[in-house]
Amino acid sequence: MRQHAAGTIIARTQRRAPVMSSTRIDEAEAIVPLSGHRAIPGTSIFDGAAALRGYALNAMCYSFNDPANRAAFKADEAGYCARFGLTREQRQAVAGRDVLQLIAAGGNIYYLAKFAGIFGLSVQEIGAQQTGMTVEAFKARLAALAEER
């Protein structure tokens, strides 16, 4: 075990060294956050462990910068997800268009916005999912907050 500069401890398993390819990271190294994280109910912390867990998912979402990749995804979602080595949990979240589940599976909201854009999901629709509100209620809440300022 060794301490990483970013405030995490990296624990190596005895199995094998980590292998990194363009689409997948072998999780032979587990990144364990130190106790400095503050728990925020209903919030997923995007730390080193989440980044490692979501590497393939975020790489796939980044690929959507290219219109040809967006078209390939729309033509064969399952095949495109398999190409990046997504986990079962990630594939289910993609199929369900469930942004909260994608975040819990290691997705970074900035990359997930590219995924949401393929389906025409607005920022308000994503915010509504994150808060458990309807889109109309979420928009009304934003308007009320703006008026308070």
Side-chain angles (χ1 to χ4, degrees):
M1 217 181 289
R2 61 188 161 90
Q3 181 144 359
H4 188 271
T8 58
I9 293 177
I10 298 178
R12 287 194 187 273
T13 64
Q14 298 298 316
R15 294 186 294 124
R16 58 186 190 259
V19 176
M20 192 170 183
S21 72
S22 62
T23 60
R24 189 134 175 117
I25 294 178
D26 183 303
E27 296 182 56
E29 278 195 354
I31 299 178
V32 183
L34 295 174
S35 60
H37 283 307
R38 181 173 63 120
I40 303 170
T43 302
S44 296
I45 303 295
F46 190 79
D47 58 6
L52 181 63
R53 192 172 59 253
Y55 181 83
L57 172 62
N58 293 318
M60 182 185 80
C61 290
Y62 179 80
S63 78
F64 297 145
N65 282 320
D66 183 334
N69 290 336
R70 294 192 296 270
F73 175 80
K74 283 182 173 181
D76 180 15
E77 284 187 31
Y80 202 83
C81 290
R83 175 177 152 195
F84 282 86
L86 269 60
T87 66
R88 182 171 44 92
E89 175 190 19
Q90 291 166 339
R91 291 190 314 269
Q92 288 173 340
V94 166
R97 313 294 187 251
D98 188 333
V99 174
L100 287 179
Q101 191 178 358
L102 288 165
I103 291 170
N108 179 296
I109 191 64
Y110 297 104
Y111 292 115
L112 294 177
K114 297 174 188 319
F115 168 77
I118 291 174
F119 304 103
L121 291 174
S122 69
V123 174
Q124 289 84 8
E125 288 169 308
I126 294 170
Q129 275 191 29
Q130 290 179 303
T131 58
M133 303 171 92
T134 65
V135 175
E136 294 74 25
F138 184 74
K139 286 180 179 180
R141 177 71 178 135
L142 290 177
L145 289 171
E147 286 189 22
E148 288 176 12
R149 293 180 181 208

